Amino acid sequence: MTPALLELKNYIQEHVYRFSEIPFKLASGIESHHYFNCKVLTLHPIWLAKLADVIVTEIYPKVKMEHSLEAVGGLTLGADPISYAVSLAFAKQGKTVYPLVVRKEAKAHGTGDQIEGFVKSVKNCLVLEDVVTTGGSTLKAVAALRAGNIEVQEGICILDREEGGIQALKKEGIQMVSLFKRSDFLK
């Protein structure tokens, strides 16, 4: 593990991960004694910048994309700060990668769009997620992106809860790479 990844892991262990005898209810509806509030990481400017740099320099190079990366994005709210930060990290390298925001449903006003960003400028997107449990949120984002004629075959998440989400995504043609797994944090 590189020093930057280890630093992120230690931050997650100390500030993001929680264990409780009383189970937490997760977005998927599943209950768990282990909770990862990645917003504590993705909404902290210094740690978000470190996360984006690790994604761009260490994790993205491991993703086998067929085409040159044009966009990053995922379902709001989990993916939004990651998408913006990753886009900015690529910009520091002189590469334009557009951030896309995928709404949970199409808006009921204006253009009625479900995807925000430079949608007409991109043909592919690397889907991003903070935590993958069942893969439901990511699959919702992928379905919207694909409906918008944007190819999605790969993704990156901060944490795989190891509860079948990565496998569910694979069945839908998404190769998801995680920075960490739940088991990395269990004592």
Side-chain angles (χ1 to χ4, degrees):
M1 186 174 294
T2 66
L5 264 173
L6 183 58
E7 186 179 26
L8 280 172
K9 181 180 183 288
N10 290 338
Y11 182 85
I12 291 170
Q13 185 77 56
E14 188 172 334
H15 300 284
V16 174
Y17 170 68
R18 292 187 201 150
F19 174 83
S20 173
E21 293 295 332
I22 300 169
F24 297 94
K25 186 171 185 175
L26 307 178
S28 62
I30 294 172
E31 289 189 351
S32 177
H33 296 282
H34 308 278
Y35 184 68
F36 294 86
N37 182 4
C38 281
K39 306 306 183 279
V40 174
L41 171 66
T42 63
L43 296 177
H44 188 292
I46 292 168
W47 287 100
L48 177 59
K50 290 179 184 200
L51 171 67
D53 286 340
V54 165
I55 288 173
V56 169
T57 62
E58 297 184 37
I59 307 303
Y60 174 69
K62 297 176 184 176
V63 176
K64 306 293 187 230
M65 291 192 70
E66 290 183 27
H67 309 288
S68 179
L69 181 62
E70 297 176 342
V72 291
L75 197 65
T76 198
L77 171 75
D80 294 349
I82 307 167
S83 300
Y84 307 146
V86 166
S87 178
L88 290 169
F90 273 117
K92 286 193 299 187
Q93 295 182 348
K95 181 171 175 54
T96 300
V97 175
Y98 296 102
L100 299 179
V101 174
V102 181
R103 297 174 187 273
K104 293 181 181 174
E105 54 192 52
K107 60 184 183 176
H109 60 282
T111 59
D113 292 337
Q114 188 171 5
I115 305 168
E116 296 292 345
F118 283 81
V119 178
K120 294 185 179 13
S121 299
V122 301
K123 293 181 179 69
N124 69 66
C125 180
L126 176 73
V127 70
L128 299 174
E129 187 65 86
D130 55 359
V131 178
V132 172
T133 303
T134 63
S137 294
T138 309
L139 288 170
K140 191 172 199 175
V142 168
L145 290 162
R146 287 177 174 169
N149 295 315
I150 298 172
E151 184 179 326
V152 186
Q153 296 179 336
E154 302 86 11
I156 295 174
C157 66
I158 300 170
L159 183 88
D160 171 13
R161 285 187 52 87
E162 300 176 296
E163 296 189 27
I166 299 293
Q167 293 77 10
L169 291 165
K170 189 172 186 174
K171 286 180 185 174
E172 295 300 320
I174 305 298
Q175 296 298 319
M176 183 65 78
V177 176
S178 66
L179 277 73
F180 305 104
K181 295 178 174 18
R182 180 181 68 168
S183 57
D184 294 335
F185 299 95
L186 304 184
K187 295 178 181 176

